[in-house]
Amino acid sequence: MLIPANTKNWDAHVSQAEIVARSPGFQHLRDRIIDLTEIQPDDCVVDVGAGTGLLSLESARRGARVWAVDISPSMCEYLRAKARSGGHQIEVAVGSAVSLPIVDGFADAVVSNYCFHHLDDAGKLQALAEARRVLRPGGRLVFGDMMFTLDPRDPRDRAVVEAKVRAMLRKGPAGVVRLARNGLRVATGRWESPVRASWWQQAMLDAHFDDVSVRVLEHEGGLAHARRPPV
């Protein structure tokens, strides 16, 4: 892969994000999102929270014209380098999910993966409004995200949290430290803001999407897809 000379200046989280993106779980989730999107050659695809290009690169390989948007300049720089080295035509822009630098009715599809849980509830609703705005009539919205809460009364929420705690503890002292840090983030209100699948179902209906479907997966995540009405 082509590596720019100023690689050392990139944020450390770029390397960690690439490791996560290459994991089998995320590769499988990528394939499920891409398959649901039903990308056709020459489709215009907007990837929201593109990161290191998990969805953008695969969309481009399938013949789509891709516009990748991420809030991190480092991520955008990294994705530009990957796109150039692979010969992919991907336009990369620094931007937010709540204010996409894309004109109205431009995209055949909007995709995203593990981006929206970083937004509060109002931000999620604005992100849905932005996705609908940039989609052409009949365009598709498909995304994966964390879909659970910290409610111990809910069986799935409880099972997800317990599984995460066990996974961290298996890592030994490093896992215990990470668990303590996450606990501190929750206590101080600085943790991510995932919501349940039912929340997304209602939010997409309220945002005037059609053919709305949301389903939880075998882990903490879920898959959602919908269409902007044709008229």
Side-chain angles (χ1 to χ4, degrees), residues 20 26 29 33 46-52 54-55 68-72 95-100 110-121 123-128 130-131 141-147 191-195 200 220-222:
V20 172
F26 264 68
L29 185 54
I33 292 171
V46 175
D47 183 2
V48 180
T52 59
L54 187 69
L55 297 177
V69 179
D70 198 277
I71 200 168
S72 167
S96 168
V98 302
S99 183
L100 296 173
V110 171
V111 297
S112 184
N113 191 34
Y114 272 55
C115 167
F116 296 143
H117 66 273
H118 294 290
L119 305 172
D120 61 17
D121 288 1
K124 293 180 181 69
L125 296 176
Q126 182 59 35
L128 288 178
E130 279 292 275
L141 168 65
V142 184
F143 65 89
D145 205 75
M146 295 169 64
M147 293 188 187
W191 191 58
E192 291 93 345
S193 301
V195 292
W200 281 116
E220 84 282 355

Side-chain angles (χ1 to χ4, degrees), residues 148 155-171 179 218-220:
F148 74 100
R156 182 174 184 271
D157 290 353
R158 189 169 61 248
V160 167
V161 172
E162 290 173 353
K164 285 183 171 293
V165 170
R166 288 195 299 270
M168 289 184 189
L169 292 178
R170 285 197 295 268
K171 296 180 183 296
L179 187 61
E218 56 276 6
H219 45 72
E220 84 282 355

